[in-house]
Amino acid sequence: MKLSKLTLATLLVSAQLASFNASAQNYDANWDSLSEKPLPEWVVDAKFGIYTHWGVYSVPAHGGPDYAPNLYSHKRDVKGAYSYHKEKYGDLDKVGYTDLIKKFTAPKFDAKNWAAVMHNAGAKFGGISVVHHDGFLLWDSKVSRWNSKKMGPKRDVYGEIAEAIREYPDMKLVATMHHGRSPGWKTKFLPKDSKDEAKNWDMSNPEYSDFFWDRKDKDVLKQFDKDWEKKVHEIVDNYQPDLLWFDGLRQAMKSDHPSENTVLNSLSYFYNEAEKRKQEVVLANKHAGKFNFPENVGLRSFEGGRDMPEHIEGYYLTDRAIGYPWSYVNNKTYRDGADFHVDFLIDNVSRGGIYLMSLTPKGDGSIPEGELEITKGIGRWLDANGEAIYGTRRYSVFGEGKHLIYKKLKKGKTIYAWDYRILGSDDIRFTQKDNNLYAMVLGTPESKKLTIKTLNNDYNISSNNKITNVSLLDSDKTVKWSRDNNGLHIQFPQGYDGEFAHAFKIEVAGDLIVTEPDKENIVKLKKLKKITLEPEDEIKVVNADK
């Protein structure tokens, strides 16, 4: 039987749809299925993202985002929060943490401004912590009344952020969710002998049980488990983030708040809804002693480089605050400037890392001047040198130089972890893209001369083993260079005065040879069962030759 053109076309379309549906991935609610989700190229290309830690805790601006548990520590006065609160606001039976929500009006919050700050800093993905451990939601929620649309700012904060971020075609949207730790979190430091005094505090008010979440009450935890999943669904359905990141789930799942089944259902929902939209999404898998999820699920994530192993196969994410603590505090100072964050970014990218940095806005919604200065500096560097960062991949050797990038801490015993403050002009990091090699030196040598020992004549850099040109990305001046058995020798152009790190583009004849990263070149870290890190700990430089 002869088919008409229309019938034939219909059959072809039907066949294409059937083929698409057959190839579309559906993820089941188990770890094996979730581990099959490939990592999207966009996040590996992006390299740099920015989000925020901002909420009710930003109003008192004392101690950090753990103000609530510190406050209810009462006379233990953890971080001085109780005495600070009493002097500033009055006794807890008059003004508790819930009363601070009324003060969280955020008159200076401007989502477009936040998004512009992130974009101008060079971030390719941005967003906010949509709910921290205190459980206050920064979105318009039907699940919980404790949200920014009904209380405090009376605005859909995340909705405004999502809209502002998506005005930039080159940016993706991030949501981080920390509410797995909410049950019992705000009262975890409450002394047992404070119960009588605490009976008149808001934490003891049964009307607020859906905010304080007594973890000793099984019925309460069952309700929390259901609400936790509904909150994830609201974020996925209403805002469709490209990257979803959870904090504190490993310990929370052990106590069923939320349960492992609830988490699995939520993660598979996130993946499957994205598949329906043909959206390439990322699930960040945080490491805090252990990963939240099995190691092969999602994008492995390390806070500030803490707990990182000596060698990481594939790609990973590191997150840290622009300045500690994790939220704004009164008279906040910034130990690290834009140069530190640029070095942090470069070193991580050279090893396969992706950097997610957190801003810490003030309680009124404005971004501190110190953070604006730092983000502008990062943006300037990326405007000039982003070619060596965005879209690059790891080279055979991540770098060379003096420092092994770890810090030595003394807290009764020796503990090793990564450090980035010791990097300088003696340290070089590599990336590669489009048959070009990039060498970034993390400081300016006094001699204005640089020797890259790795790239000597014996190093087979390309199929012809020839370098045809070396240029400096943030300068149009000619770079003088030579290559011999001792290395690639580079002279900085006369009059060049670039800031921070300097990115050289090395062009080759033939195809650039890229092999698996040399494990002998990876930093050697001593493996310990427990690593406790504070950002202000004393640093002792340990050199590669020791």
Side-chain angles (χ1 to χ4, degrees), residues 225-398:
D225 182 63
K226 294 177 182 177
D227 286 3
W228 186 92
E229 183 173 12
K230 290 178 182 177
K231 291 168 186 175
V232 175
H233 281 219
E234 276 193 329
I235 289 295
V236 171
D237 292 341
N238 298 344
Y239 308 102
Q240 301 172 11
D242 300 292
L243 188 151
L244 193 55
W245 185 96
F246 295 96
D247 188 23
L249 280 188
R250 184 175 62 87
Q251 291 296 334
M253 283 189 284
K254 290 181 179 180
S255 303
D256 286 337
H257 59 80
S259 67
E260 184 175 3
N261 285 337
T262 295
V263 172
L264 285 167
N265 288 334
S266 300
L267 300 185
S268 61
Y269 184 81
F270 173 51
Y271 279 173
N272 289 327
E273 289 302 301
E275 288 291 320
K276 292 177 184 178
R277 295 190 295 268
K278 299 182 182 179
Q279 179 187 11
E280 294 184 321
V281 295
V282 179
L283 171 68
N285 185 0
K286 183 177 179 179
H287 194 292
K290 291 183 179 179
F291 287 106
N292 274 338
F293 320 128
E295 188 172 348
N296 59 347
V297 173
L299 177 65
R300 288 160 295 177
S301 173
F302 301 91
E303 183 177 311
R306 182 178 65 188
D307 303 311
M308 281 172 56
E310 63 180 86
H311 177 66
I312 300 175
E313 301 287 347
Y315 295 91
Y316 64 94
L317 181 144
T318 51
D319 73 295
R320 66 172 294 125
I322 191 171
Y324 291 98
W326 277 101
S327 64
Y328 183 76
V329 293
N330 296 311
N331 303 313
K332 185 167 185 173
T333 58
Y334 298 89
R335 178 178 181 180
D336 303 308
D339 56 341
F340 167 85
H341 293 282
V342 167
D343 286 351
F344 188 97
L345 172 66
I346 292 171
D347 184 76
N348 272 276
V349 169
S350 73
R351 303 172 193 270
I354 299 156
Y355 182 20
L356 177 59
M357 182 180 75
S358 176
L359 302 178
T360 65
K362 295 182 177 181
D364 63 9
S366 62
I367 298 176
E369 286 297 322
E371 300 186 18
L372 292 176
E373 181 180 351
I374 292 169
T375 54
K376 287 176 182 176
I378 299 171
R380 282 196 309 273
W381 190 89
L382 282 169
D383 279 345
N385 301 283
E387 180 183 333
I389 298 294
Y390 302 126
T392 61
R393 296 295 183 268
R394 292 195 295 184
Y395 186 52
S396 306
V397 178
F398 81 88

Side-chain angles (χ1 to χ4, degrees), residues 187-251:
T187 57
K188 65 179 181 179
F189 296 144
L190 178 70
K192 292 181 180 180
D193 60 3
S194 299
K195 289 185 178 179
D196 287 340
E197 200 164 0
K199 65 183 180 182
N200 294 320
W201 299 350
D202 56 352
M203 56 157 281
S204 302
N205 189 336
E207 293 183 10
Y208 299 159
S209 63
D210 60 340
F211 188 59
F212 286 91
W213 298 107
D214 183 358
R215 62 182 299 171
K216 295 179 182 179
D217 189 322
K218 292 184 179 179
D219 290 333
V220 166
L221 289 186
K222 286 181 181 178
Q223 185 60 49
F224 178 85
D225 182 63
K226 294 177 182 177
D227 286 3
W228 186 92
E229 183 173 12
K230 290 178 182 177
K231 291 168 186 175
V232 175
H233 281 219
E234 276 193 329
I235 289 295
V236 171
D237 292 341
N238 298 344
Y239 308 102
Q240 301 172 11
D242 300 292
L243 188 151
L244 193 55
W245 185 96
F246 295 96
D247 188 23
L249 280 188
R250 184 175 62 87
Q251 291 296 334

Side-chain angles (χ1 to χ4, degrees), residues 502-513:
H502 313 289
F504 291 94
K505 180 178 181 178
I506 301 168
E507 300 170 65
V508 299
D511 295 327
L512 188 69
I513 296 174

Side-chain angles (χ1 to χ4, degrees), residues 377-427:
I378 299 171
R380 282 196 309 273
W381 190 89
L382 282 169
D383 279 345
N385 301 283
E387 180 183 333
I389 298 294
Y390 302 126
T392 61
R393 296 295 183 268
R394 292 195 295 184
Y395 186 52
S396 306
V397 178
F398 81 88
E400 67 172 66
K402 182 178 180 181
H403 299 115
L404 286 182
I405 336 271
Y406 61 77
K407 69 164 60 168
K408 183 177 182 180
L409 306 159
K410 291 184 178 179
K411 287 188 174 181
K413 61 180 180 180
T414 301
I415 300 174
Y416 293 90
W418 297 82
D419 179 59
Y420 303 88
R421 294 189 179 98
I422 61 179
L423 293 167
S425 59
D426 292 320
D427 301 292

Side-chain angles (χ1 to χ4, degrees), residues 25-38 264 268 271-272 296-298:
Q25 178 73 53
N26 290 315
Y27 295 94
D28 298 325
N30 62 70
W31 298 122
D32 287 340
S33 181
L34 295 175
S35 70
E36 295 175 1
K37 178 75 170 70
L264 285 167
S268 61
Y271 279 173
N272 289 327
N296 59 347
V297 173

